[in-house]
Amino acid sequence: MKLVMAAAAVPAVALALVATQAAAQVRGALTLTVGEAELVSLAAPAATVFIAHPDVADIQIAGPQSVFVFGQRPGRTTLFALDEAGAPIAVRDVRVEVELTQLRALLAARFPRTPVRLSSAPGSVMIEGDAADPLEAEAVAATVAGALGEGLSVINRMTVSAPTQVNLRVRVAEVTRDLDRRLGINWQGVLNVGAVTFGIATGTGLAVPLTATAGAYGLISGGVSTDYLDLNALLDALDREGLARTLAEPNLTALSGETASFTAGGEFPIPVAQDGNRTTIEFKPFGVILDFTPTVLSPDRISLRVRPEVSDITSNGAIEAEGFEIPALIVRRVDTTVELASGQSLVIGGLLQQNTRDVVEKLPGLGDLPVLGALFTSTRYQKAETELIVTVTPYVVRPTRPDALPTPVGGPAAGQSLEALLARRARGGGAGATAGRLHGQVGFVF
């Protein structure tokens, strides 16, 4: 009985294997590249041939039992072939991929030192590899995008082995020169005639004593006083020259493509009106402000956008709002993008500002007299010159070990009394012998 059952089971297994092989022949995968064609042979004459997505792969009937299939664009579709009774003769999965063999050869010829890996997916091609610098990685992506054409996206996963940190050393120097010269005679006189009083006053710095003295601006002063007349005169003369210098040397480090900022100065309050008759305070920075954005193009080339600004508070142009006095700012700002090698310097100069003021004050009528008019005239000449120079030096930097960075505290240690005594005896010195020179890496680090 068992033998019969076993004998009966053998045909069933054979039929299952035949059915599996038939199914495999009916439905199979067909892989093409864009622009590639392949001839598909059918087991029997086909009455109907259908493809799901003609934009992915198209077909052309070559004969009753043959069909041309050619790839249009990357994607996946299905090919059906039916006989006159509607039974399937062939069902094929058609996959269209990007031709990468020639593209790999092109990349190997253009970039022999950069290993590039390409992998395709429906609608996209991914690039992987390690480039020496950002320019080479960008060139690889541009080559792949140009070879693929439109309709495909490029996924760039290239890494850059070159250092991508930039250290920027900036020196901002501002020199201001002030010149103030004034010369004139200031009068103050009072004449009493009975119950009537007459007075005259010119210039500033009045109410000086009658004796000759040197005031804040007056070199010589004098006066005459009687019962009816009080007359004072002040020679106002000044020759002042001032020189001021502002220097800032910020040192910043930033990643390629990122922005670093530096501010050396302060902030002043500004009232801001809000709803409900409320007033809030905001602070605006002033001083030496620096923003820079580096982009590492190669191990020795840096594209640098630098924005230095020097500002100061001034009363010229100040306003009053809601009982608050809001000062104004004197601002000198530069915004430029340059390309430098690591260690090269850029100087931004020519930022000059010059203000000149010449004022003549005189008493009407008396100040116009040919000779005596100088006694009733006061002149003042002011001149202010400001020059700003910005020096920028970028460096491509790499991280280092902590033990390679010395500090000033790593110098000699203080010795004990016994060690100092033994050291003097070893040198043959007495109690008053002086210590010898230090040897090795000691002292300050600059």
Side-chain angles (χ1 to χ4, degrees), residues 301-321:
R301 303 300 298 177
I302 304 171
S303 176
L304 182 66
R305 182 184 181 188
V306 59
R307 297 175 297 279
E309 175 183 320
V310 178
S311 58
D312 196 6
I313 297 178
T314 179
S315 59
N316 295 331
I319 62 174
E320 291 187 3

Side-chain angles (χ1 to χ4, degrees), residues 14 65 108 153 385:
Q65 295 183 233
S153 61
E385 297 178 345

